[in-house]
Structure formats: structure tokens, C-alpha cells
Amino acid sequence: MTEKKYSFVIAGGGSTYTPGIILVLLDNLDKFPIRKIMFYDNLASRQKIVADACEILIKERAPEIEFVQTTDPKEAFTDVDFVMAQIRVGLYAMREKDEKIPLKYGVIGQETCGPGGIAYGLRSIPGVIEILDYMEKYSPDAWMLNYSNPAAIVAEATRRLRPNSKIINMCDMPVLIKDRMVEVLGLKSRLELQESYFGLNHFGWWTDLRDRNTGRDLMPELKKWVSEQGYTLPAERDHQGLDQSWMDTFAKSKEVYDIDPNTLPNTYLQYYMYPDDMVKHTDPNYTRANQVIDGREKTVFGMCKRITDRGSSEGEVLELDEHATYIVELARALAYNTNDQMLLIVPNDGAVSNFDETAMVEVPCLVGSNGPCPISQGKIPQFQKGLMEQQVSVEKLAVDALIEHSYQKLWQALTLSRTVPNARVAKQILDDLIEANKDFWPELK
Ligand code: NAD
Ligand code: G6P
Ligand code: MN
């Protein structure tokens, strides 16, 4: 019998993350054979920059793989096994507004947290649903691996609007943190870590980490490290090549850890535990969007243009990125029924036993060809339960607001966010966001 070869479409082909994903796919062909890779985007000019270079990479390393770049949904979504979705509706121009508008009022300006995250959510949902519908129309057996942000709000929307669809929402933040843990512990790979974790996306905690092979409890060593310097690594062991703002985030985890030394926190909790510190350390005229435009986008697109101009990747340093490794591991688990354990965003359904069954939670799951099967995390402590109930309500109200075109519910969502001081400020920010998003949001009543 010949081995099955798989077909992928990357939706949001023009993303800065696309070359990294292609490199990981090309690096794993022995474990995961591929017959076709397609790029789909609704902005041909942006996609072309990335796609022309990736086509060269594919030709160099695996010329037998068919490659297509297209803006035609029918072409893109026909004959695919996996859709990897990484769209950014409104591009960095809108990310910049999501970040800068709340900051005008002294409130966190962030891609996925607080008012900016809510604003992005209302743009992202229709875009993600559109792609899911294309997949179901043209390749009904395919799986969609979605990491388009804000993943928490998008996941709640897909649960509500497309409850039976084969979509898995995911995030790489815990993976990036585990890669740092591995450096501290002197282990070879994060796959050696067995974890217990609960939370919402960008809002979670580890309760246990142990060596998968020996069962050794790793929490004491990890807690000692985080209590001293957060997730900061000694420079010689930090291979993630991160910007200063990310280094500051990893250091800040010390203070997030201090609030509950029984658990180890996700970095994103800094925005909810210390909102005023975060505002104080942000330049309202030069936010993360500006850093990414001047940093990652320039670097990735510059590399792509050089490869295309030369017609070859010779001389380029091509690095596999961990973000992409995780996505390929998930696709492999689905394709080969590996039953690997992964942290995913799934309907709670009792996995956290004292929490809303209808919430989309982030918990470890066993992943096989029938999808993710959440692993029970039992009861969670009052502190986290209280925080999560508030935050999940923000996310649910944001989705309600979009579905019902409700101004009132969106105002409530912003008011309920821990990042917003009061209802008046929530309304001021909301009114500015409505104006900024008028090309994307429905009219709210
Ligand atoms: P990017 O702007 O570089 O790329 C996004 C691409 O999506 C663009 O080429 C854009 O034209 C395209 N696009 C926008 N709307 C579309 C639509 N409706 N249909 C098809 N294509 C569309 O952004 P990026 O910084 O590379 O990030 C891509 C996405 O991945 C973002 O949503 C980001 O938040 C997300 N992300 C998520 C995680 C996670 O942990 N879940 C990690 C990294 C990135
Ligand atoms: C992490 C998070 C993502 C987020 C990204 C932002 O990877 O898990 O959800 O999109 O960080 O990174 P950036 O470098 O674009 O600010
Ligand atoms: Mn994430």
C-alpha cells in the first residue's frame, strides 16, 4: 500500500508566520508526507511576497509537492486535508488602533486582552467563520486548525455558530513557556513534560508538571526559578530571539506567580493582574504593532524578497520556529491517531468540574483522529474561578454583541474586563472603537 500524502491550505498565506510553518512542514516530510500546499489570502499582493519565496523553498527541498497561491476560495479549499488558519482581519493597521485607542484613556492596549482584544474579536469572527464555511463546502472531511486571534473569543464564536464543525482552536503561548522550562530543567524537549493546566486562552495556570518518563515532580525546581526571575533565562540559554517587550513579559511573570505560588502562570495574566504597570510601561505612540511592523514583518518580508529576487534560498539562515512545530504536531496527531497530549481550547463539558460547562477552556487533551479529548482537571481554586468567570463573561458578551448587534452588550463586555476601570471609560473607548471599526463591524443598536 502506498502511504497517504496530505494536502494543506494555509489561510492567511501572507502572514509573517507562513515561512516558518513551511520550513517545519518541509523538515518533517519523513514523518508527515505532503502532496500539495496551497496558500489562500484575501490580499493577493501581500500573499505574493511570502508565496513566491515559499514556492522556491518547496522547489528546492521537495519538488514533488504541488504548490498553489490563490485568492479564489474554491481553488484553495478543494481537495484539502488540513486548513491552517492565521488571518488578521484589518491587518497591523487595525492592530495599531486596537492598541492605541484604549491607551488614550489609560487602559491596556493589547492585541488579545482588554478592549483591543474585544475589538479584534468582532473583526476576526466573520473572517474565521467564512473560511470554515469554505472548508466545509469544498472539503467536508478536512480539519481546520485555527490560531487566528483573539483565539478565546473566536473559539466561543465557533462553538456557538458552528458547533459541529471540525475546527480546533489553539495557542502557542504555553508552548513558548514550556520551551523555556525545558532549558531550566536541562531536558531535551518539551515533549518530555507532562502537564496539568487549566484556564481560558491567554488566561491559565499550570498545577502540575512532571517528567513524562520518570514521573519526577518538576514543580519545585520551576517554582524556585519563577519566584526569582519569572520565566527569564540566562542569555546563553535563551534561543527564542525575542524582542525586549517579550523579555519584560517573561520577567513580569515573577510578580504574577507571587499572587498564587501554588501554580505557574501564563504570561498573559500580567495584563489582568497589573494593568496599570503595563500601561505605564507602554509608549502610547509606539505600541507592539509598531514594533512588529518595524521588526518581524520587515525581517520576514525582507528575507522573502531576497529569496525571490535570487531565485534561491542560498545564503539565508532559515530557522524553524516552535510556534509552527506545535501546529504540525497537532496535524500529525489528527492524521495518525497518535493520542498525543496537547493544550487546546475546547468546550469545557466538565473538564473543569466547578466551572461553566459551556465555556471554551484551555486544558490538556489527548488528540487522535476523532479530535481532541479533554483530560479532566477537577475542581479549581476560588481565586482562579472568580477571575475566569469574569473573563469568560467578557468573551461571551462580546460574541453576544456581535450576533445580536448589541451596543449594550458590548459596553457590558468592556465594563466587565478587569483592564477597564469603570463603565464611563468603557463607553468612551467603545465609541472610539466603533468609529475605528466601521468598515468591519455591523452597525450596533
Ligand atoms: P499578518 O497580518 O502578517 O498575516 C495575516 C494575513 O491574513 C494577511 O496576509 C492578511 O491579508 C490575511 N487576511 C486577513 N483577513 C483575511 C481573510 N478574511 N481571509 C483571508 N486572509 C485574510 O499577521 P501575523 O502577525 O502573521 O499573525 C497572523 C495571525 O496569527 C493573527 O491572527 C495572529 O494573532 C495569529 N497568531 C496566533 C497565535 C496563537 O497563539 N493563537 C500565535 C501567533 C500568531
Ligand atoms: C504569542 C501569543 C499569540 C500572539 C503573539 C503575539 O505567540 O500566543 O496569541 O499573537 O504572541 O506576538 P507579537 O510578536 O505579534 O506581539
Ligand atoms: Mn496565543
Side-chain angles (χ1 to χ4, degrees), residues 274-334:
Y274 297 102
D276 13 2
D277 293 8
M278 305 314 295
V279 171
K280 219 180 298 156
H281 287 115
T282 306
D283 177 350
N285 299 310
Y286 193 79
T287 57
R288 183 66 195 152
N290 303 110
Q291 294 174 20
V292 172
I293 292 165
D294 293 341
R296 186 172 67 238
E297 188 181 41
K298 276 214 168 75
T299 307
V300 171
F301 283 20
M303 177 195 76
C304 287
K305 284 177 184 148
R306 287 194 303 275
I307 292 175
T308 304
D309 288 349
R310 257 190 266 115
S312 152
S313 71
E314 228 182 282
E316 296 292 337
V317 184
L318 302 170
E319 282 171 10
L320 306 183
D321 80 81
E322 273 309 312
H323 162 82
T325 312
Y326 175 60
I327 299 161
V328 175
E329 280 163 15
L330 174 58
R332 270 200 91 244
L334 294 164

Coordinates of all heavy atoms in Angstrom, one line a residue, residues 274-334:
Y274 N -1.8 43.2 36.6 CA -1.1 44.5 36.8 C -1.3 45.5 35.7 O -0.4 45.9 35.0 CB 0.4 44.2 36.9 CG 0.8 43.4 38.1 CD1 1.1 42.0 38.0 CD2 0.9 43.9 39.4 CE1 1.4 41.2 39.0 CE2 1.2 43.2 40.5 CZ 1.5 41.8 40.3 OH 1.8 41.0 41.4
P275 N -2.6 45.8 35.4 CA -2.9 46.6 34.2 C -2.2 48.0 34.3 O -1.7 48.4 33.2 CB -4.4 46.7 34.2 CG -4.9 46.2 35.6 CD -3.9 45.3 36.1
D276 N -2.2 48.6 35.5 CA -1.6 49.9 35.5 C -0.1 49.9 35.2 O 0.5 50.8 34.5 CB -1.9 50.8 36.7 CG -2.5 49.9 37.9 OD1 -2.6 48.7 37.7 OD2 -2.7 50.5 38.9
D277 N 0.6 48.9 35.7 CA 2.1 48.7 35.4 C 2.2 48.6 33.9 O 3.2 49.2 33.3 CB 2.7 47.5 36.0 CG 2.7 47.5 37.5 OD1 2.1 48.5 38.1 OD2 3.3 46.6 38.1
M278 N 1.4 47.8 33.2 CA 1.6 47.6 31.8 C 1.3 48.9 31.0 O 2.0 49.2 30.1 CB 0.6 46.5 31.3 CG 0.7 45.2 32.1 SD 2.3 44.6 32.3 CE 2.8 44.3 30.7
V279 N 0.3 49.7 31.4 CA 0.1 50.9 30.8 C 1.3 51.9 30.9 O 1.7 52.5 30.0 CB -1.2 51.6 31.3 CG1 -1.4 53.0 30.8 CG2 -2.4 50.8 31.0
K280 N 1.8 51.9 32.2 CA 2.9 52.8 32.4 C 4.1 52.5 31.6 O 4.9 53.3 31.2 CB 3.3 52.7 33.9 CG 3.7 54.0 34.6 CD 4.0 53.9 36.0 CE 2.9 53.4 36.9 NZ 3.3 52.7 38.2
H281 N 4.3 51.2 31.3 CA 5.5 50.8 30.5 C 5.3 50.7 29.0 O 6.0 50.2 28.3 CB 6.0 49.5 31.0 CG 6.7 49.6 32.4 ND1 6.2 49.0 33.5 CD2 7.8 50.3 32.8 CE1 6.9 49.4 34.6 NE2 7.9 50.2 34.1
T282 N 4.1 51.3 28.6 CA 3.9 51.3 27.1 C 3.9 52.7 26.6 O 3.4 53.6 27.2 CB 2.4 50.7 26.9 OG1 2.3 49.4 27.5 CG2 2.2 50.5 25.4
D283 N 4.6 52.8 25.5 CA 4.7 54.1 24.8 C 3.4 54.2 23.9 O 3.2 53.5 23.0 CB 5.9 54.2 23.9 CG 6.0 55.5 23.1 OD1 5.0 56.2 23.1 OD2 7.1 55.8 22.5
P284 N 2.5 55.1 24.3 CA 1.2 55.2 23.5 C 1.3 55.6 22.1 O 0.4 55.4 21.3 CB 0.4 56.3 24.3 CG 1.4 57.1 25.1 CD 2.6 56.2 25.3
N285 N 2.5 56.1 21.7 CA 2.7 56.4 20.3 C 3.5 55.3 19.5 O 3.7 55.4 18.3 CB 3.5 57.7 20.2 CG 2.7 58.8 20.8 OD1 1.5 59.0 20.5 ND2 3.3 59.6 21.7
Y286 N 4.0 54.3 20.2 CA 4.8 53.3 19.6 C 4.5 52.0 20.3 O 5.2 51.6 21.3 CB 6.3 53.6 19.6 CG 7.1 52.8 18.7 CD1 7.1 53.0 17.3 CD2 7.8 51.7 19.2 CE1 7.9 52.2 16.4 CE2 8.6 50.9 18.3 CZ 8.6 51.1 17.0 OH 9.3 50.3 16.1
T287 N 3.5 51.3 19.9 CA 3.0 50.1 20.6 C 3.6 48.8 19.9 O 4.4 48.9 19.0 CB 1.5 50.1 20.6 OG1 1.0 50.1 19.3 CG2 0.9 51.2 21.4
R288 N 3.1 47.7 20.4 CA 3.6 46.4 19.8 C 3.4 46.3 18.3 O 4.2 45.8 17.6 CB 2.9 45.2 20.6 CG 3.4 43.9 20.2 CD 4.8 43.6 20.6 NE 5.3 42.4 19.9 CZ 6.6 42.2 19.6 NH1 7.5 43.0 20.0 NH2 7.0 41.1 19.0
A289 N 2.3 46.8 17.8 CA 2.1 46.8 16.4 C 3.2 47.5 15.6 O 3.7 46.9 14.6 CB 0.7 47.4 16.0
N290 N 3.6 48.6 16.1 CA 4.7 49.3 15.5 C 6.0 48.5 15.6 O 6.8 48.4 14.6 CB 4.9 50.7 16.2 CG 3.7 51.5 16.1 OD1 3.1 51.8 17.1 ND2 3.3 52.0 14.9
Q291 N 6.2 47.9 16.7 CA 7.4 47.0 16.9 C 7.4 45.9 15.9 O 8.5 45.5 15.3 CB 7.5 46.5 18.3 CG 7.7 47.5 19.4 CD 7.7 46.9 20.8 OE1 7.8 45.7 21.0 NE2 7.4 47.7 21.8
V292 N 6.3 45.3 15.7 CA 6.2 44.1 14.8 C 6.3 44.6 13.3 O 7.0 43.9 12.5 CB 4.8 43.4 15.0 CG1 4.7 42.3 13.9 CG2 4.8 42.7 16.4
I293 N 5.8 45.7 13.0 CA 5.9 46.3 11.6 C 7.4 46.6 11.3 O 7.9 46.2 10.3 CB 5.0 47.5 11.4 CG1 3.6 47.2 11.5 CG2 5.4 48.2 10.1 CD1 2.6 48.4 11.7
D294 N 8.1 47.2 12.3 CA 9.5 47.5 12.1 C 10.4 46.3 12.4 O 11.6 46.4 12.0 CB 9.9 48.7 13.1 CG 9.1 49.9 12.7 OD1 8.7 50.1 11.6 OD2 9.0 50.8 13.6
G295 N 9.9 45.3 13.0 CA 10.7 44.1 13.3 C 10.4 42.9 12.5 O 10.9 42.7 11.4
R296 N 9.5 42.1 13.0 CA 9.2 40.8 12.4 C 8.8 40.9 10.9 O 9.3 40.2 10.0 CB 8.1 40.0 13.2 CG 7.9 38.6 12.6 CD 7.0 37.8 13.5 NE 5.7 38.2 13.5 CZ 5.0 38.6 14.6 NH1 5.6 38.6 15.8 NH2 3.8 39.0 14.5
E297 N 7.9 41.9 10.6 CA 7.4 42.0 9.3 C 8.5 42.3 8.3 O 8.7 41.7 7.2 CB 6.3 43.0 9.2 CG 5.6 43.0 7.8 CD 4.5 44.1 7.7 OE1 4.7 45.2 8.3 OE2 3.4 43.8 7.1
K298 N 9.4 43.3 8.7 CA 10.5 43.7 7.8 C 11.5 42.6 7.6 O 11.9 42.3 6.5 CB 11.2 44.9 8.5 CG 10.6 46.2 8.2 CD 11.7 47.3 8.1 CE 11.1 48.6 7.5 NZ 10.3 49.3 8.5
T299 N 11.7 41.9 8.7 CA 12.7 40.8 8.6 C 12.2 39.7 7.7 O 12.9 39.2 6.8 CB 13.0 40.2 10.1 OG1 13.3 41.2 10.9 CG2 14.1 39.1 10.0
V300 N 11.0 39.2 8.0 CA 10.4 38.1 7.2 C 10.2 38.5 5.7 O 10.6 37.8 4.8 CB 9.1 37.6 7.8 CG1 8.4 36.6 6.9 CG2 9.3 37.0 9.2
F301 N 9.6 39.6 5.5 CA 9.4 40.0 4.1 C 10.7 40.4 3.4 O 10.8 40.1 2.2 CB 8.4 41.2 4.1 CG 7.0 40.9 4.3 CD1 6.6 39.7 4.9 CD2 5.9 41.7 3.9 CE1 5.3 39.3 5.2 CE2 4.6 41.3 4.1 CZ 4.3 40.1 4.7
G302 N 11.6 40.9 4.1 CA 13.0 41.2 3.5 C 13.6 39.9 3.0 O 14.1 39.8 1.9
M303 N 13.5 38.9 3.9 CA 14.1 37.6 3.5 C 13.4 37.0 2.3 O 14.0 36.5 1.4 CB 14.0 36.6 4.7 CG 14.5 35.2 4.4 SD 14.0 34.0 5.7 CE 12.3 33.8 5.3
C304 N 12.1 37.1 2.3 CA 11.3 36.6 1.2 C 11.7 37.2 -0.1 O 11.8 36.6 -1.1 CB 9.8 36.7 1.5 SG 9.2 35.6 2.8
K305 N 11.8 38.6 0.0 CA 12.1 39.3 -1.3 C 13.5 38.9 -1.8 O 13.7 38.8 -3.0 CB 12.0 40.8 -1.0 CG 10.6 41.3 -1.0 CD 10.4 42.7 -0.7 CE 9.0 43.1 -0.6 NZ 8.7 44.2 0.4
R306 N 14.4 38.7 -0.9 CA 15.8 38.3 -1.3 C 15.8 36.9 -2.0 O 16.4 36.7 -3.0 CB 16.8 38.3 -0.1 CG 17.2 39.7 0.4 CD 18.4 39.6 1.3 NE 18.2 38.7 2.5 CZ 17.6 39.1 3.6 NH1 17.1 40.3 3.8 NH2 17.5 38.2 4.6
I307 N 15.0 36.0 -1.4 CA 14.9 34.7 -2.0 C 14.3 34.7 -3.3 O 14.8 34.1 -4.3 CB 14.1 33.7 -1.0 CG1 14.9 33.5 0.3 CG2 13.7 32.4 -1.7 CD1 14.1 32.7 1.3
T308 N 13.2 35.5 -3.5 CA 12.5 35.6 -4.8 C 13.5 36.3 -5.8 O 13.6 35.8 -6.9 CB 11.2 36.4 -4.6 OG1 10.5 35.8 -3.6 CG2 10.4 36.5 -5.9
D309 N 14.1 37.4 -5.4 CA 15.0 38.1 -6.4 C 16.1 37.1 -6.9 O 16.5 37.1 -8.1 CB 15.6 39.3 -5.7 CG 14.6 40.4 -5.5 OD1 13.5 40.3 -6.1 OD2 14.9 41.4 -4.8
R310 N 16.7 36.4 -6.0 CA 17.8 35.5 -6.3 C 17.3 34.2 -7.0 O 18.1 33.5 -7.6 CB 18.6 35.2 -5.1 CG 19.9 36.0 -5.0 CD 20.8 35.4 -3.9 NE 20.6 36.2 -2.7 CZ 20.1 35.7 -1.5 NH1 19.7 34.4 -1.4 NH2 19.9 36.4 -0.5
G311 N 16.1 33.9 -6.7 CA 15.6 32.6 -7.2 C 16.1 31.4 -6.4 O 16.0 30.3 -6.8
S312 N 16.6 31.7 -5.2 CA 17.3 30.7 -4.4 C 17.3 31.1 -2.9 O 17.4 32.3 -2.6 CB 18.7 30.4 -4.9 OG 19.5 30.0 -3.9
S313 N 17.3 30.1 -2.0 CA 17.4 30.5 -0.6 C 18.9 30.4 -0.1 O 19.1 30.5 1.1 CB 16.6 29.5 0.2 OG 17.1 28.3 0.3
E314 N 19.8 30.2 -1.1 CA 21.2 30.1 -0.7 C 21.7 31.3 0.1 O 21.4 32.4 -0.3 CB 22.1 29.9 -1.9 CG 23.0 28.7 -1.8 CD 23.9 28.6 -3.0 OE1 23.4 28.1 -4.1 OE2 25.0 29.1 -3.0
G315 N 22.4 31.1 1.2 CA 22.9 32.2 1.9 C 22.0 32.7 3.0 O 22.4 33.5 3.9
E316 N 20.7 32.2 3.0 CA 19.8 32.7 4.0 C 19.8 31.7 5.2 O 20.0 30.5 5.1 CB 18.3 32.7 3.5 CG 18.1 33.6 2.4 CD 18.2 35.1 2.8 OE1 18.0 35.4 4.0 OE2 18.4 36.0 1.9
V317 N 19.7 32.3 6.4 CA 19.6 31.5 7.6 C 18.2 31.2 7.9 O 17.4 32.1 8.2 CB 20.3 32.2 8.8 CG1 20.3 31.3 10.1 CG2 21.7 32.7 8.5
L318 N 17.8 30.0 7.6 CA 16.3 29.6 7.8 C 16.1 28.9 9.1 O 16.6 27.8 9.2 CB 15.9 28.8 6.6 CG 16.1 29.5 5.2 CD1 15.9 28.5 4.1 CD2 15.2 30.7 5.0
E319 N 15.4 29.5 10.0 CA 15.2 28.9 11.3 C 13.8 28.4 11.4 O 12.8 29.0 11.1 CB 15.5 29.9 12.4 CG 17.0 30.0 12.6 CD 17.4 31.2 13.5 OE1 16.5 31.7 14.2 OE2 18.6 31.5 13.6
L320 N 13.7 27.1 11.9 CA 12.4 26.5 12.2 C 11.9 27.2 13.5 O 12.6 27.5 14.4 CB 12.6 25.1 12.6 CG 13.3 24.2 11.6 CD1 13.3 22.7 12.0 CD2 12.6 24.3 10.2
D321 N 10.6 27.6 13.5 CA 10.1 28.2 14.7 C 9.2 27.2 15.5 O 8.4 26.5 14.9 CB 9.6 29.6 14.5 CG 8.2 29.6 14.0 OD1 7.3 29.5 14.8 OD2 8.0 29.8 12.8
E322 N 9.2 27.4 16.8 CA 8.5 26.5 17.7 C 7.0 26.6 17.5 O 6.3 25.6 17.7 CB 8.9 26.8 19.2 CG 10.1 26.0 19.6 CD 10.0 24.5 19.3 OE1 8.9 23.9 19.6 OE2 10.9 24.0 18.7
H323 N 6.5 27.8 17.3 CA 5.1 28.1 17.0 C 4.6 27.1 16.0 O 3.6 26.5 16.1 CB 5.0 29.6 16.6 CG 3.7 29.9 15.9 ND1 2.6 30.2 16.6 CD2 3.4 30.0 14.6 CE1 1.6 30.5 15.8 NE2 2.1 30.4 14.5
A324 N 5.4 27.0 14.9 CA 5.0 26.1 13.8 C 5.1 24.7 14.1 O 4.3 23.8 13.7 CB 5.9 26.4 12.6
T325 N 6.1 24.3 14.9 CA 6.2 22.9 15.3 C 5.0 22.3 16.0 O 4.5 21.2 15.7 CB 7.4 22.7 16.3 OG1 8.5 23.5 15.7 CG2 7.8 21.3 16.5
Y326 N 4.4 23.1 16.8 CA 3.2 22.7 17.6 C 2.0 22.5 16.6 O 1.3 21.5 16.8 CB 2.9 23.9 18.6 CG 1.7 23.7 19.4 CD1 1.5 22.7 20.2 CD2 0.7 24.7 19.3 CE1 0.3 22.6 21.0 CE2 -0.4 24.7 20.1 CZ -0.6 23.6 20.9 OH -1.7 23.5 21.7
I327 N 1.9 23.3 15.6 CA 0.8 23.2 14.7 C 0.9 21.9 13.9 O 0.0 21.1 13.7 CB 0.7 24.4 13.7 CG1 0.5 25.7 14.5 CG2 -0.4 24.2 12.7 CD1 0.9 26.9 13.8
V328 N 2.2 21.6 13.5 CA 2.4 20.4 12.7 C 2.2 19.2 13.6 O 1.7 18.1 13.2 CB 3.8 20.4 12.1 CG1 4.1 19.1 11.4 CG2 3.9 21.6 11.1
E329 N 2.6 19.3 14.9 CA 2.3 18.1 15.8 C 0.8 17.9 15.9 O 0.4 16.7 16.0 CB 2.9 18.5 17.2 CG 4.3 18.3 17.4 CD 4.9 19.0 18.6 OE1 4.1 19.4 19.5 OE2 6.1 19.2 18.7
L330 N 0.0 18.9 16.0 CA -1.4 18.7 16.1 C -2.0 18.0 14.8 O -2.8 17.1 14.9 CB -2.1 20.1 16.3 CG -3.7 20.0 16.3 CD1 -4.2 19.0 17.4 CD2 -4.3 21.4 16.6
A331 N -1.5 18.5 13.7 CA -2.0 17.9 12.4 C -1.6 16.4 12.3 O -2.4 15.6 11.9 CB -1.4 18.7 11.2
R332 N -0.4 16.1 12.8 CA 0.1 14.7 12.8 C -0.8 13.9 13.8 O -1.1 12.7 13.4 CB 1.5 14.6 13.3 CG 2.6 14.8 12.2 CD 3.9 14.2 12.7 NE 4.0 12.8 12.4 CZ 4.1 11.8 13.3 NH1 4.1 12.0 14.6 NH2 4.2 10.5 12.9
A333 N -1.1 14.4 14.9 CA -1.9 13.7 15.9 C -3.3 13.3 15.2 O -3.8 12.2 15.4 CB -2.1 14.5 17.1
L334 N -3.9 14.3 14.5 CA -5.2 14.0 13.8 C -5.0 13.0 12.7 O -5.8 12.1 12.5 CB -5.7 15.3 13.3 CG -6.1 16.4 14.3 CD1 -6.3 17.7 13.7 CD2 -7.4 16.0 15.1

